[in-house]
Amino acid sequence: MLQISSKRTLVSGIFVVVLVGSLAWWLSEANIVPRIGSVTIAILLGVIVGNLVFNNPMGIQGATFAEKKILPISIALLGVELQLLTLLDLGLSAAIIIAIAITSSLLLAIGLGQLFGFSRNFSLLIGAGNGICGSSAVAATSIAIEAEEADTGISISVVNLLGTVGIFLMPALINFLTLSDLQGGLLTGGTLQAFGQVVAAGFSVNDDVGNIATVVKMGRVMMLGPIVVLLGTWAQSQFVSDEKKKAKVRIPRFIFGFFVMSIIASIGILPDMVLDIVKTSGKYLLVIAMAGIGMRIQLRTLFQSGFRALLFGGLVSILQIAIVLIVIVTFI
């Protein structure tokens, strides 16, 4: 009887998470809540629902299922967005900017995270989200390093907010500094967090900047798999006892799925319609997973860490932009 009751609780909890995620998806797609994106909306709705309505075993079980089971599947499916042949379109300048952008973001996050008193895991989430590809990078890294749900949710909210601000500030910065189209595209594609933010900011300057920024951004997205594997292996080797390192250090299975989907998309064995369905499914499942993560965030924790986290993330982003900008202006 207890087992049946537990299953019913789990199913009910999953239903609630799917409902919250679907609402977030609809609000974003209908442009009712513009700019901030479905992932951030899902987290915010999850926080509200989890704290005010379903702060009980049903909500907790559903949210846990979303994080542990749905999130890895969504990351794997999103691999179809990565065309491996894009690497051929990247010149040496873009490759250098990508390497500097990712490395500086991670190192800045780790260093500043210590000054702010944040955990190493939270710092890695901010560094990966800011340096690679926003929400997807945070979500993938959180699985690999086994981060806390609150850290994941706050990181995604901070990274998305900073990227949204960047949509408006980046074109203004490019025009103020009178950067060339190549320089503007490298700066936009090398620093803004989410793919949509890069596209919006780049094409708001002009088509050439938008196209260059898009290619550079794809190069950063290509680094998601390798960087997550390295961060996961390093984090586990740092925080796991010597007796358990051999058993614990492993490559998450969703990374293999991510690359398999990337290869399938790149070699063109599936029709575009099927790829679009897979891509949309991955994004939809990611939104549901983020709703679950939001439901497990306690408002008390969010209020205590939110402002400091935003200040921390903002400094990482500003310093990363400054470093990339100096390299671009000096050498390109």
Side-chain angles (χ1 to χ4, degrees), residues 1 19 23 31 39 56 84 102 104 112 121 126 160 164 179 198 225 236 262 276 317:
M1 183 65 67
L19 187 63
L23 176 59
N31 206 32
V39 168
N56 53 41
L84 297 177
I102 295 175
S104 63
L112 290 175
N121 276 356
I126 291 291
N160 279 332
T164 300
L179 300 179
V198 169
Q236 292 170 22
S262 300
D276 288 340
S317 181

Side-chain angles (χ1 to χ4, degrees), residues 5-316:
S5 177
S6 178
K7 288 183 178 180
R8 288 178 177 174
T9 301
L10 175 60
V11 171
S12 299
I14 294 173
F15 175 78
V16 171
V17 174
V18 171
L19 187 63
V20 174
S22 299
L23 176 59
W25 179 273
W26 176 75
L27 289 172
S28 177
E29 291 296 305
N31 206 32
I32 294 176
V33 182
R35 296 296 183 186
I36 67 174
S38 57
V39 168
T40 302
I41 296 173
I43 291 177
L44 295 176
L45 287 178
V47 169
I48 294 172
V49 172
N51 282 267
L52 301 181
V53 183
F54 289 107
N55 188 13
N56 53 41
M58 182 183 74
I60 294 174
Q61 286 192 36
T64 302
F65 181 88
E67 179 194 2
K68 302 298 183 183
K69 303 298 183 181
I70 297 178
L71 181 56
I73 295 174
S74 70
I75 298 297
L77 292 180
L78 287 175
V80 298
E81 292 194 88
L82 173 59
Q83 296 286 332
L84 297 177
L85 295 178
T86 302
L87 183 61
L88 299 177
D89 296 329
L90 298 176
L92 179 60
S93 298
I96 292 173
I97 293 303
I98 291 168
I100 292 175
I102 295 175
T103 302
S104 63
S105 181
L106 289 170
L107 293 179
L108 286 167
I110 293 173
L112 290 175
Q114 291 180 328
L115 293 177
F116 275 82
F118 287 116
S119 68
R120 181 63 58 85
N121 276 356
F122 182 76
S123 300
L124 289 177
L125 293 179
I126 291 291
N130 183 73
I132 307 174
C133 56
S135 302
S136 297
V138 174
T141 303
S142 70
I143 301 174
I145 67 176
E146 300 180 2
E148 297 290 334
E149 294 85 359
D151 286 348
T152 302
I154 295 172
S155 298
I156 289 176
S157 298
V158 168
V159 167
N160 279 332
L161 179 58
L162 292 173
T164 300
V165 173
I167 292 175
F168 305 99
L169 293 186
M170 187 60 66
L173 179 63
I174 292 172
N175 291 324
F176 177 75
L177 297 175
T178 63
L179 300 179
S180 68
D181 289 346
L182 175 60
Q183 292 173 327
L186 289 173
L187 181 63
T188 303
T191 57
L192 288 188
Q193 289 82 352
F195 195 91
Q197 295 160 357
V198 169
V199 171
F203 281 97
S204 70
V205 180
N206 60 54
D207 288 351
D208 289 335
V209 171
N211 288 324
I212 294 170
T214 299
V215 173
V216 175
K217 179 60 180 177
M218 283 303 302
R220 289 168 65 197
V221 174
M222 291 181 68
M223 297 305 296
L224 175 61
I227 294 298
V228 168
V229 170
L230 290 175
L231 289 179
T233 302
W234 175 76
Q236 292 170 22
S237 68
Q238 291 290 312
F239 305 131
V240 180
S241 63
D242 292 335
E243 296 78 9
K244 296 183 179 180
K245 278 182 181 179
K246 187 174 181 180
K248 291 287 286 185
V249 176
R250 62 194 184 278
I251 299 176
R253 286 182 291 180
F254 75 90
I255 292 295
F256 290 110
F258 181 88
F259 278 117
V260 167
M261 297 308 297
S262 300
I263 293 171
I264 291 175
S266 298
I267 61 180
I269 62 175
L270 293 178
D272 290 342
M273 182 181 69
V274 175
L275 290 178
D276 288 340
I277 293 174
V278 174
K279 184 187 303 183
T280 302
S281 299
K283 291 179 178 179
Y284 178 63
L285 290 177
L286 178 63
V287 171
I288 291 175
M290 291 303 107
I293 287 177
M295 288 177 63
R296 298 191 65 179
I297 296 175
Q298 294 298 309
L299 284 174
R300 181 182 301 175
T301 302
L302 188 62
F303 291 145
Q304 289 176 344
S305 303
F307 178 76
R308 283 199 310 126
L310 183 59
L311 180 60
F312 164 51
L315 285 175
V316 171

